[in-house]
Amino acid sequence: MLPVDVQYRVYLLRQFFRLCIVPPIGLFAILSFADVTGALGRILTGALLLASIPAAFFGLGYCSHFANERRARSLGAVLAPEFYGGTAGNADIFLRALRGGGGSGTGRAYIGNNWLDLFRRTGSTTCNMRVLGADKILTMDDAVIKAVLATSFQHFEKGSSLRMRMESFLGNGIFNRDGDVWKMHRAMTRPFFAKERISDFNVFDEHSKKALDLLESTTRTGPRKGAIDAQDLYARFTLDTASEFLFGHDLNTLAMPLPIAGEAKLGPQGSSPPDTAADSHSRSFLAFVQAFESAQLNASRRARLGDLFTLVEAFHDESAEHVKVIRSFLDPLVERAVGQNAERKRAGIVPGPGDETTLLDYMAQNTSDKRVIRDELLNILLASRDTTAALLTFTTYLCAMHPEAFQKMRDEAMQVCGPTGQPSYEVIRQLKYMRAVLNETLRLYPPVPFNGRATLPGQGIVIPPSPHSVPQQPLYIPPDTNVTFAPFLMHRRKDLWGDDAESFVPERWIDPERLARFTANPMIWVPFNAGPRICLGQQFAYNEASVFLVRLLQRFSAVELAPDCQPKGSTPPEIWKHDTAHGYLPTVEQCWPASALTLFAKGGLWVRFTPAE
Ligand code: HEM
């Protein structure tokens, strides 16, 4: 296989050759054969050859569209309605994605609103946003999402587009593989997420204590009446916890300087910490964390651009530098674990099942392929860090917006654990209201708001509609087509969740009558995905978030937003308040949700906690 950074350039060259070289050469051959070049003259011949490029581009697009339409009709199905924008080939959509807009919330529009507009304008819950000739299916339809993730799982894959975009960053890891290789990854890592292992709450408890000590000291003595960027704190907590769990190495980002209330500026996602990492040890950790975040940002930019990222990065792989830093950090850890395992084997020590304490140890016992181990660690670090941090961030946000829910959750935690009791697996199972708050947060603010798959090359698929699908006909998705689905939008649909779909109502997860909507059709709630590729760390995430919240509720009695500390440019734009056309939630939003693979609050989530007496 070609080196990854060469792969997309080859792809680009192939596309360039197909679209820009073949049509003029073909036309020239025809004109020469017909012996009309002399009569046309050089200028007209040149103009025709040039015009053959867009003509072939759009001509091929239309031919494939008509072929697909015929195929759909023959199967008794329809194609997803196409969106026609204001420019040829919907080029404006591509330009908006290039500038950071699109549906991701990183532009001025509320996250997902651009998509809602497309659904409205095509009168559907699934549409085709054909950009520069490439089909791109968008959906918030429960039937399509169900087919993609579960019932027709075998007809979809992550696909070559995604692999090409992510290869330099995620390499040979579980997120970036399909078919038998993915099965091998899943079989290898799954046992490590067994209940017994992730029920060892000490690692959660230790890091919760560190984070909450920091929160308490900032609350009591920090500037601006003790305001803190909760999102930043949670990202450190989840990173330190995950790094210890995965490779036995506490990155100790909680020990690095926090963003300062009133001084912090807008960072690439949250707020920026002061650049004052003390020693070289902290600096190398900081470099790793920054490279990890930058590679993620580039991956999400590539996702917005689709295959066209190859054009933007034709001469410079924007991930290369970050990946180098990440690998220089992880490689020695992997090297050491593989070496230690080889030594143990030489000494005749055979570890029993469950003896290994970290994923790194566990993998070193199962394979000596250092690249597989490194890439898997990186993939799972990515999977575990921002997702759980997003869950805690938006739970805090909703608690600040709904103090009664915070109080109810606190009363329950006090009743079950008391003011100092250690949360255990059994204890957490009793915290029904807390679980309802977490589920409701995952509904309104799913940490992975958008996700994607592609149909297999050479294999289209027909998806039967659900009672809520528009149009109410079977849908044909042609072969090798990208399908992007939006749990963020589906989770807020009134026809699926009822009139209070946009309200924060934890009781909908407890009250049997309300819960019936979900139990009748569980595919309307997919924060962890569903089907064979469902999140491996779901229980880990619930455990981690619950331990942290119990400890937080034991030490703090209230939380409120601190909008005065949000960095400039991160408070919701005034226009959201008056934009009732896109639903109720954006009009009352007090933070700025946006997405870069995972959900985050732009500029961070600045809050003030009240220490419990
Ligand atoms: C609230 C927290 C979390 C949420 C919302 C979440 C959500 C998801 C989603 C949506 C996927 C599917 C991604 C895709 O389609 O490619 C996924 C996959 C995965 N998650 Fe999570 N996740 C969370 C926490 C975690 C944690 C803590 C871990 C590990 C410690 C983890 C490990 C994984 C792994 C290994 C996969 C890949 C599964 C596969 O492809 O077979 N996740 N997660």
Side-chain angles (χ1 to χ4, degrees):
M1 204 154 110
L2 285 169
V4 177
D5 48 342
V6 178
Q7 269 180 36
Y8 74 76
R9 292 192 174 91
V10 171
Y11 170 85
L12 185 64
L13 268 178
R14 225 179 42 217
Q15 291 289 73
F16 179 77
F17 188 75
R18 193 170 69 92
L19 294 172
C20 302
I21 307 290
V22 173
I25 289 186
L27 182 64
F28 188 71
I30 295 170
L31 295 179
S32 304
F33 184 72
D35 201 14
V36 292
T37 44
L40 290 172
R42 272 195 194 172
I43 294 181
L44 195 53
T45 308
L48 280 175
L49 295 184
L50 262 185
S52 71
I53 298 174
F57 181 76
F58 288 109
L60 282 176
Y62 283 113
C63 287
S64 87
H65 176 79
F66 285 123
N68 287 335
E69 210 162 45
R70 257 214 343 247
R71 176 87 183 123
R73 227 176 299 130
S74 73
L75 293 166
V78 292
L79 291 177
E82 256 184 53
F83 171 75
Y84 297 105
T87 49
N90 286 336
D92 54 329
I93 295 182
F94 169 66
L95 292 175
R96 211 183 310 152
L98 194 61
R99 287 196 300 268
S104 66
T106 45
R108 299 287 293 170
Y110 186 75
I111 178 170
N113 274 3
N114 289 333
W115 279 39
L116 276 183
D117 288 339
L118 300 188
F119 291 129
R120 285 222 182 110
R121 286 167 70 176
T122 51
S124 63
T125 44
T126 301
C127 68
N128 184 357
M129 180 179 78
R130 212 173 144 77
V131 180
L132 301 184
D135 282 327
K136 188 169 169 147
I137 306 286
L138 306 181
T139 187
M140 57 169 184
D141 189 309
D142 53 319
V144 179
I145 295 178
K146 181 176 174 180
V148 169
L149 296 179
T151 46
S152 299
F153 175 78
Q154 71 281 14
H155 293 279
F156 291 90
E157 56 172 16
K158 294 249 173 156
S160 56
S161 285
L162 180 126
R163 226 171 8 255
M164 200 167 47
R165 292 198 306 264
M166 302 299 258
E167 191 73 29
S168 53
F169 178 31
L170 297 180
N172 187 12
I174 188 165
F175 271 115
N176 208 29
R177 288 293 176 263
D178 285 307
D180 289 342
V181 182
W182 162 73
K183 274 191 196 146
M184 180 276 287
H185 279 280
R186 183 124 183 148
M188 188 162 61
T189 40
R190 196 190 171 98
F192 195 71
F193 289 93
K195 177 177 160 253
E196 314 74 59
R197 200 185 303 273
I198 57 168
S199 305
D200 170 10
F201 284 2
N202 287 337
V203 64
F204 301 141
D205 212 20
E206 262 169 42
H207 291 287
S208 299
K209 181 170 178 335
K210 266 199 214 168
L212 293 169
D213 284 348
L214 203 55
L215 176 58
E216 188 161 344
S217 66
T218 310
T219 301
R220 291 191 189 277
T221 59
R224 299 277 188 110
K225 295 193 217 132
I228 190 165
D229 177 1
Q231 176 169 265
D232 175 85
L233 184 77
Y234 301 158
R236 292 163 191 250
F237 161 68
T238 52
L239 183 60
D240 290 356
T241 309
S243 61
E244 181 146 12
F245 178 75
L246 298 176
F247 37 88
H249 211 82
D250 177 2
L251 285 173
N252 208 7
T253 53
L254 281 166
M256 293 174 202
L258 297 183
I260 300 169
E263 289 179 21
K265 304 262 179 317
L266 195 60
Q269 295 190 10
S271 59
S272 61
D275 186 18
T276 51
D279 47 70
S280 65
H281 189 61
S282 309
R283 277 188 194 285
S284 96
F285 283 4
L286 194 60
F288 170 75
V289 175
Q290 283 172 346
F292 186 67
E293 288 179 354
S294 304
Q296 246 173 290
L297 275 177
N298 195 44
S300 75
R301 191 178 74 134
R302 287 180 175 186
R304 282 201 306 272
L305 296 174
D307 287 359
L308 295 163
F309 92 87
T310 51
L311 270 182
V312 180
E313 294 187 39
F315 303 107
H316 180 61
D317 177 349
E318 303 263 345
S319 298
E321 263 168 53
H322 313 309
V323 170
K324 216 162 118 192
V325 176
I326 293 169
R327 290 184 181 170
S328 69
F329 183 86
L330 288 178
D331 282 344
L333 297 179
V334 175
E335 195 81 42
R336 204 169 53 213
V338 171
Q340 280 170 350
N341 189 56
E343 253 171 49
R344 274 197 298 264
K345 271 194 186 146
R346 271 196 297 276
I349 304 169
V350 184
D355 278 1
E356 65 289 327
T357 50
T358 65
L359 180 68
L360 173 56
D361 267 351
Y362 170 79
M363 289 200 67
Q365 282 167 27
N366 285 285
T367 171
S368 53
D369 186 333
K370 294 179 198 154
R371 204 189 129 206
V372 168
I373 301 179
R374 180 197 64 206
D375 290 352
E376 199 74 301
L377 286 180
L378 187 64
N379 277 240
I380 298 186
L381 191 63
L382 176 75
S384 61
R385 182 231 181 167
D386 289 352
T387 47
T388 318
L391 171 59
L392 286 171
T393 300
F394 286 94
T395 302
T396 303
Y397 170 60
L398 287 166
C399 284
M401 298 280 280
H402 302 270
E404 71 293 346
F406 183 86
Q407 195 51 51
K408 214 165 158 183
M409 199 161 62
R410 185 159 192 264
D411 291 347
E412 181 187 62
M414 288 300 163
Q415 203 183 358
V416 176
C417 308
T420 56
Q422 191 177 2
S424 64
Y425 184 74
E426 287 67 35
V427 160
I428 297 253
R429 275 166 58 92
Q430 295 172 51
L431 300 172
K432 304 273 187 248
Y433 188 74
M434 181 183 286
R435 176 58 80 95
V437 167
L438 291 175
N439 286 350
E440 185 68 344
T441 306
L442 289 166
R443 184 179 72 82
L444 288 172
Y445 298 94
V448 184
F450 309 108
N451 203 340
R453 294 287 188 270
T455 45
L456 297 175
Q459 279 188 42
I461 174 161
V462 174
I463 298 172
S466 87
H468 309 277
S469 302
V470 187
Q472 269 289 300
Q473 282 147 295
L475 191 71
Y476 174 65
I477 303 188
D480 209 7
T481 303
N482 289 319
V483 179
T484 309
F485 55 96
F488 186 87
L489 298 178
M490 180 175 70
H491 288 181
R492 294 173 175 211
R493 278 178 56 185
K494 287 189 179 160
D495 53 344
L496 299 179
W497 288 93
D499 286 343
D500 62 358
E502 289 189 85
S503 306
F504 174 68
V505 186
E507 287 72 16
R508 81 171 81 240
W509 297 96
I510 299 170
D511 173 15
E513 230 171 82
R514 283 180 168 157
L515 192 58
R517 261 185 199 275
F518 165 69
T519 44
N521 183 8
M523 291 304 300
I524 61 177
W525 184 76
V526 290
F528 295 101
N529 262 12
R533 265 195 117 137
I534 194 167
C535 172
L536 270 177
Q538 176 169 351
Q539 202 48 51
F540 180 101
Y542 275 126
N543 291 349
E544 182 178 11
S546 306
V547 169
F548 182 86
L549 284 175
V550 168
R551 288 308 198 190
L552 183 136
L553 294 165
Q554 286 173 330
R555 293 176 66 170
F556 297 89
S557 57
V559 59
E560 59 181 13
L561 298 176
D564 52 309
C565 299
Q566 283 295 144
K568 197 161 168 253
S570 71
T571 41
E574 199 54 29
I575 43 163
W576 291 5
K577 289 200 181 90
H578 312 291
D579 177 17
T580 46
H582 292 96
Y584 157 78
L585 253 182
T587 66
V588 292
E589 204 72 276
Q590 298 292 315
C591 78
W592 188 321
S595 154
L597 299 186
T598 49
L599 197 69
F600 63 92
K602 189 168 170 181
L605 182 75
W606 288 84
V607 290
R608 291 188 179 89
F609 280 94
T610 309
E613 292 310 323

